[in-house]
């Protein structure tokens, strides 16, 4: 709201109410949509990292202009049509390791709550029924209209009406709360005091957020394109009805771009998560690309970035395997200072408006330090275990590393990891005779050893 970073203070100590606008379930979500959901996941996990208990509500928009249009084109009942995409959405967030919200209210299950809210707006004089039988919100009655999206009062065309769910800033006008049924809606309609019809998109979020989070809560988020008109309209409806401030903090993520244009269904320039999976990319690789950029910066999607993510994550897996194989004695004090410093810097970067790029730099820094000590043979088993524990903490937010996952096919017996370790130390000491002997010993046990730049190694079954 203020376009600056402000300290976060929750309404209830230790708890956070978080409302995140969810998918419109008329198609498979594309990775632009998933940039928004991943950013929200990072926000939630960061709050949890700092000990907050987060109550997240994400709505499912299963009735609006687009779901009705496409269910009719598919010749399917609305519910059957949206069910398929709801199911796909839950599969997809699992693929991306997105923590589930506490509640996923669907719009069609909350029509009475929306009608009740519109009734209050009618009683208080903020809404009116027009000749077309639709109910509109009168923006002239709400002087704060436009504060979030920063729209001048002069550009507001009070009294002019718009009944589509989405519209541009230059057509700001009284917007529809309840849309009277017409033949384009087919059999999609509910009874209301104003005749049969259906809710507008914006009223869904006002009604469902107050049902599950109360009439005032901490944080509301979405993609930047949600700011206007969707969030502006949500504020008008909620604050007019409740007569008080609704949301304390607003966060919006910038767009995921493809060749310089916003990735979007309407432009047709998009990849669904499933498209990328079909090309062989894994959820963690896609997540790594999305997480690495700051949420308020535009991010251009490329396959080079995915390839780099694969390379980076493979290196981390090899690094974790190496750490598991460390067997030298000691109490971990040789690396504790670096671990504490990395965790400290990681935490402050995330606390500073989710600076993921800076936070991720700590992962590279700590792995470099640990590799350096392991090369010199001075990293202890206890130290390596502490390094792994630190990476589990990093990954409680980053969510891409799978620190403890040993791919079954590549599971390396500890005895072989120990031989590989000894060989790395021998190479470091330029004892090439010993290093060759160890290579042969490893080979005789059925494994090939490859050197990884920076002193690491990788074992493969022959
Ligand atoms: P929709 O299903 O169209 O309501 O969009 C769901 C979420 O995805 C909203 O928070 C949008 O703001 C967000 N979104 C849509 N396209 C993009 C994009 N290219 N980059 C980032 N977020 C997006
Ligand atoms: Zn919403």
């Amino acid at each position: 709201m203020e376009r600056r970073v402000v300290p976060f203070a929750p309404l209830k100590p230790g708890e956070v109410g978080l409302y995140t606008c969810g998918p419109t379930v008329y198609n498979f979500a594309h990775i632009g949509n998933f940039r928004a959901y991943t950013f929200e996941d990072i926000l939630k996990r960061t709050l949890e990292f700092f000990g907050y208990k987060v109550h997240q509500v994400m709505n499912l928009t299963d009735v609006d202009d687009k779901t009705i249009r496409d269910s009719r084109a598919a010749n399917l009942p609305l519910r059957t049509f949206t069910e398929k995409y709801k199911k796909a959405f839950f599969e997809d967030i699992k693929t991306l390791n997105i923590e589930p919200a506490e509640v996923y209210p669907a719009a069609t299950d909350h029509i009475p709550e929306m009608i009740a809210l519109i009734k209050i707006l009618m009683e208080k004089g903020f809404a009116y029924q027009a000749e077309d039988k639709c109910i509109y919100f009168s923006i002239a009655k709400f002087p704060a209209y436009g504060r979030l999206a920063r729209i001048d009062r002069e550009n507001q065309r009070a009294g002019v009406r718009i009944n589509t769910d989405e519209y541009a800033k230059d057509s700001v006008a009284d917007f529809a709360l309840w849309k009277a049924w017409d033949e384009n809606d087919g059999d999609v309609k509910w009874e209301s005091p104003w005749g049969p019809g259906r809710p507008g998109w914006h009223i869904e979020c006002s009604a469902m957020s107050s049902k599950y989070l109360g009439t005032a809560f901490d944080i509301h988020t979405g993609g930047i394109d949600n700011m206007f008109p969707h969030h502006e309209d949500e504020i008008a409806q909620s604050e007019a009805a409740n007569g008080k401030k609704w949301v304390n903090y607003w966060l919006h993520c910038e767009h995921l771009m493809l060749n310089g244009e916003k990735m979007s269904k309407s432009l047709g320039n998009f990849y669904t998560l499933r498209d990328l999976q079909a090309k062989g990319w894994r959820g963690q690789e896609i997540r790594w690309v999305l997480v690495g950029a700051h949420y308020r910066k535009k991010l251009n999607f490329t396959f080079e970035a995915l390839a780099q993510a694969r390379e980076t994550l493979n290196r981390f897996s090899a690094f974790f395997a190496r750490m598991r194989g460390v067997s030298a004695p000691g109490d971990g004090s040789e690396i504790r200072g670096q671990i504490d410093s990395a965790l400290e810097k990681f935490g402050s970067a995330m606390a500073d408006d989710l600076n993921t790029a800076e936070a991720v730099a700590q992962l590279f820094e700590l792995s470099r330090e640990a590799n350096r000590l392991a090369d010199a043979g001075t990293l202890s088993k206890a130290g390596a275990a502490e390094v792994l524990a630190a990476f589990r903490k990093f990954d409680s937010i980053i969510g891409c590393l799978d620190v403890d996952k040993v791919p079954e096919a590549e599971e390396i017996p500890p005895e072989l990891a120990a031989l590989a370790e000894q060989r790395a130390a021998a190479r470091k000491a330029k004892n090439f005779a010993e290093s060759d002997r160890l290579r042969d010993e490893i080979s005789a046990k059925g494994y090939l050893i490859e050197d990884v730049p920076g002193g690491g190694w990788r074992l493969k079954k022959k």
Side-chain angles (χ1 to χ4, degrees):
M1 186 66 89
E2 296 178 34
R3 303 294 196 277
R4 63 190 178 94
V5 178
V6 292
F8 173 68
L11 288 171
K12 267 197 223 158
E15 290 181 29
V16 179
L18 171 64
Y19 190 86
T20 52
C21 287
T24 306
V25 280
Y26 73 116
N27 208 324
F28 298 110
H30 59 67
I31 54 167
N33 303 129
F34 284 115
R35 179 177 197 199
Y37 308 135
T38 306
F39 136 68
E40 288 152 352
D41 183 51
I42 292 285
L43 171 64
K44 183 183 191 186
R45 286 166 176 258
T46 300
L47 289 162
E48 288 170 343
F49 183 90
F50 288 103
Y52 290 101
K53 187 172 177 323
V54 182
H55 193 73
Q56 183 193 3
V57 178
M58 178 177 274
N59 66 298
L60 303 170
T61 300
D62 61 353
V63 56
D64 79 322
D65 297 349
K66 293 184 282 193
T67 43
I68 294 177
R69 180 194 66 199
D70 290 3
S71 67
R72 298 217 349 125
N75 213 4
L76 285 173
L78 183 67
R79 197 167 265 276
T80 316
F81 177 77
T82 56
E83 204 53 50
K84 171 177 169 189
Y85 298 113
K86 282 182 195 168
K87 194 168 156 269
F89 173 73
F90 289 114
E91 287 166 5
D92 287 354
I93 59 170
K94 218 169 177 180
T95 301
L96 286 174
N97 197 17
I98 290 173
E99 276 185 8
E102 278 55 39
V103 198
Y104 287 101
T108 54
D109 294 333
H110 295 80
I111 307 290
E113 286 86 344
M114 297 174 208
I115 291 177
L117 184 55
I118 300 171
K119 260 191 193 160
I120 296 175
L121 292 170
M122 288 291 273
E123 282 159 20
K124 291 195 169 179
F126 288 101
Y128 61 93
Q129 187 162 31
E131 311 80 64
D132 62 4
K133 297 270 193 304
C134 299
I135 307 289
Y136 290 92
F137 186 95
S138 171
I139 56 175
K141 298 274 170 57
F142 189 74
Y145 192 84
R147 247 190 85 206
L148 178 69
R150 310 226 155 160
I151 296 161
D152 307 336
R153 291 295 293 172
E154 298 90 76
N155 286 342
Q156 299 186 11
R157 301 177 305 155
V160 177
R161 291 185 289 273
I162 185 135
N163 85 357
T164 50
D165 284 331
E166 290 178 79
Y167 46 91
K169 267 193 192 174
D170 55 9
S171 48
V172 54
D174 291 358
F175 57 91
L177 302 171
W178 185 260
K179 302 189 189 192
W181 180 87
D182 71 26
E183 52 276 14
N184 290 330
D185 293 341
D187 63 356
V188 179
K189 59 172 186 271
W190 287 267
E191 286 308 321
S192 83
W194 317 285
R198 60 179 171 102
W201 172 35
H202 318 300
I203 201 76
E204 295 180 6
C205 287
S206 286
M208 297 194 286
S209 62
S210 62
K211 172 161 181 177
Y212 294 100
L213 293 170
T215 49
F217 58 90
D218 299 295
I219 307 179
H220 193 315
T221 66
I224 189 83
D225 57 326
N226 277 166
M227 185 189 282
F228 186 84
H230 187 50
H231 291 164
E232 196 67 60
D233 293 354
E234 285 184 31
I235 294 173
Q237 297 161 158
S238 302
E239 298 199 348
N242 305 326
K244 61 177 183 189
K245 187 170 182 191
W246 180 46
V247 166
N248 277 348
Y249 306 95
W250 288 89
L251 284 83
H252 293 94
C253 75
E254 254 298 349
H255 284 141
L256 184 70
M257 316 288 285
L258 193 65
N259 303 321
E261 272 190 302
K262 175 195 171 190
M263 184 176 287
S264 77
K265 275 170 207 148
S266 52
L267 291 175
N269 61 338
F270 64 88
Y271 291 105
T272 64
L273 187 64
R274 283 138 198 265
D275 293 336
L276 298 184
Q277 286 176 288
K279 290 176 191 287
W281 298 101
R282 294 184 305 139
Q284 287 108 312
E285 293 160 351
I286 299 160
R287 183 178 167 105
W288 181 265
V289 170
L290 297 177
V291 166
H294 190 250
Y295 75 97
R296 284 191 291 102
K297 293 208 178 91
K298 286 195 171 67
L299 170 63
N300 199 43
F301 172 78
T302 62
F303 284 95
E304 289 76 52
L306 271 180
Q308 212 167 1
R310 173 167 295 174
E311 163 96 28
T312 303
L313 294 179
N314 283 347
R315 277 217 218 153
F316 276 125
S317 295
F319 169 69
F320 300 143
R322 180 177 198 193
M323 289 297 109
R324 282 191 289 270
V326 170
S327 56
D331 63 0
S333 54
E334 71 283 359
I335 190 139
R336 198 158 303 132
Q338 281 97 323
I339 293 176
D340 290 347
S341 147
L343 279 171
E344 219 280 310
K345 287 183 189 159
F346 177 87
S348 19
M350 291 311 296
D352 181 15
D353 195 26
L354 311 180
N355 191 343
T356 45
E358 178 75 31
V360 161
Q362 299 311 312
L363 277 58
F364 292 110
E365 182 66 30
L366 184 58
S367 64
R368 251 194 314 273
E369 283 297 325
N371 271 330
R372 199 176 54 78
L373 293 182
D375 289 344
T378 51
L379 183 67
S380 64
K381 187 175 168 63
E386 287 184 33
V387 169
L388 287 170
F391 273 86
R392 275 182 217 110
K393 281 196 191 143
F394 297 143
D395 207 39
S396 71
I397 296 182
I398 302 300
C400 301
L401 298 177
D402 256 344
V403 177
D404 298 302
K405 182 160 176 241
V406 181
E408 272 165 45
E410 294 165 35
E411 194 160 1
I412 296 158
E415 179 205 352
L416 275 138
L419 288 175
E421 273 299 295
Q422 288 170 28
R423 179 169 167 278
R427 273 168 57 86
K428 185 86 191 167
K430 304 213 182 313
N431 185 348
F432 296 112
E434 175 67 356
S435 126
D436 287 347
R437 190 194 65 73
L438 285 160
R439 172 191 292 275
D440 294 343
E441 190 176 340
I442 289 167
S443 176
K445 292 188 191 296
Y447 281 81
L448 280 176
I449 185 157
E450 277 173 21
D451 298 312
V452 171
W457 49 262
R458 194 178 294 142
L459 284 178
K460 273 199 192 135
K461 234 189 182 125
K462 285 205 282 196

